[in-house]
Amino acid sequence: MSTQPPQAGTGPEISIRGLHKSFGDNEVLRGIDLDVAHGEVVCVIGPSGSGKSTLLRCVNLLEEPTKGQVYVGGTEVTDPDVDIDAVRRRIGMVFQQFNLFPHLTVTENLTLPQRRVLRRDRATAARIAAQNLKRVGLAEKADAYPSSLSGGQQQRVAIARALAMGPEVMLFDEPTSALDPELVGDVLAVMRSLADEGMTMMVVTHEMSFAREVADRVVFMDGGVVVEDGEPAQVIGAPRHERTRHFLSRLLDPAMAEVEEETSDQVGGKTP
């Protein structure tokens, strides 16, 4: 991978070079190199503790890297002199939790950040809020309060809130992990529509069907490094690395993983 910084408008939308992140003595990211092209959907998969969420949070500097560079649209996010607020206005992020203000209506949750961060007037912010609520299929919930919504609806409101800021890049940190299984589909449908519209997306997820169907590339992380990176059919369908195969076998067939563990315990003499 080139060590030259990407140029705005010509290079990848997101470029990560030699990224390290440590929390005390715990090195969570150990030299990540990754590019995401304009309009590309990259799903990041891997076991808990592999550094996936930390990687995502380093892209918009919610976590400050220990070493390395991150570029978004050709601007170095990790430059000490960067206007990070200006950079973050170009990046939407959706978390596991919805982080909606419970005392505000859905519309107010969408208009408040527009007015405070982008300095939009009340009417403009309300118009853009309405457009994005319609975009996620929740136009009829404009005057509702978060407590009256299902978890899936709240997450779609959170996506609409991020979209209302006009981002060029969307980051999703396991956006369906806090949802009941029957609510996951509506959120993933919204994300599929964003991909169809050409939104640049990095998605940390355990939803393998989404990764297989929607991602342009799948990145498997383990132990703070990228183990495998390729098209979904290759990484999910025919992984090259044993670590990837083992992770997918346990994720896609938990019952078989339990059988393997029991067999291993018996062979190792751990059966009571």
Side-chain angles (χ1 to χ4, degrees):
M1 181 175 294
S2 171
T3 58
Q4 295 300 314
Q7 300 299 311
T10 60
E13 193 69 32
I14 301 171
S15 187
I16 299 166
R17 310 281 174 84
L19 193 67
H20 291 253
K21 175 61 181 178
S22 296
F23 296 96
D25 294 332
N26 182 23
E27 191 174 23
V28 177
L29 300 178
R30 300 191 290 122
I32 302 291
D33 292 304
L34 182 66
D35 285 344
V36 180
H38 178 75
E40 189 175 30
V41 178
V42 174
C43 283
V44 184
I45 65 173
S48 297
S50 59
K52 308 182 303 295
S53 294
T54 301
L55 172 64
L56 214 63
R57 292 171 66 86
C58 283
V59 171
N60 63 357
L61 225 60
L62 290 177
E63 296 288 355
E64 186 171 346
T66 305
K67 186 168 64 173
Q69 293 81 40
V70 176
Y71 300 86
V72 176
T75 299
E76 185 184 348
V77 177
T78 44
D79 184 339
D81 297 324
V82 75
D83 183 349
I84 190 59
D85 291 331
V87 172
R88 284 179 179 150
R89 285 195 286 270
R90 300 162 61 183
I91 305 171
M93 187 157 185
V94 178
F95 300 89
Q96 297 178 29
Q97 303 300 324
F98 323 123
N99 299 321
L100 301 177
F101 292 111
H103 62 290
L104 300 180
T105 67
V106 165
T107 292
E108 289 167 342
N109 267 281
L110 268 67
T111 56
L112 182 64
Q114 293 183 66
R115 292 169 57 203
R116 289 195 174 177
V117 177
L118 302 180
R119 304 299 181 187
R120 287 174 179 159
D121 61 73
R122 189 180 299 270
T124 299
R127 175 177 55 81
I128 292 172
Q131 289 173 350
N132 284 286
L133 284 175
K134 182 178 180 181
R135 199 172 173 186
V136 301
L138 290 174
E140 76 283 1
K141 299 295 185 181
D143 297 324
Y145 285 89
S147 60
S148 70
L149 305 179
S150 70
Q153 289 172 330
Q154 290 186 59
Q155 190 62 292
R156 286 151 64 195
V157 170
I159 294 173
R161 178 181 58 189
L163 293 173
M165 304 297 285
E168 299 167 17
V169 171
M170 286 287 288
L171 309 177
F172 293 88
D173 187 6
E174 301 204 38
T176 61
S177 65
L179 302 179
D180 292 334
E182 66 269 21
L183 303 177
V184 168
D186 289 340
V187 173
L188 295 181
V190 170
M191 294 169 65
R192 282 188 179 92
S193 69
L194 293 179
D196 291 341
E197 293 170 15
M199 176 67 74
T200 306
M201 296 163 59
M202 281 185 71
V203 183
V204 171
T205 185
H206 283 103
E207 298 290 341
M208 290 302 105
S209 60
F210 176 85
R212 192 191 302 269
E213 296 166 15
V214 179
D216 296 296
R217 281 170 43 228
V218 173
V219 172
F220 172 66
M221 288 182 62
D222 193 17
V225 300
V226 172
V227 176
E228 197 154 353
D229 179 352
E231 295 182 357
Q234 181 263 301
V235 176
I236 298 176
R240 297 188 181 98
H241 294 267
E242 177 58 33
R243 290 159 78 186
T244 315
R245 290 192 291 270
H246 183 66
F247 168 76
L248 290 170
S249 69
R250 295 173 66 87
L251 186 66
L252 299 175
D253 192 353
M256 182 58 68
E258 291 178 6
V259 170
E260 289 177 357
E261 285 186 357
E262 290 178 3
T263 303
S264 176
D265 287 348
Q266 292 171 2
V267 171
K270 297 179 184 179
T271 303

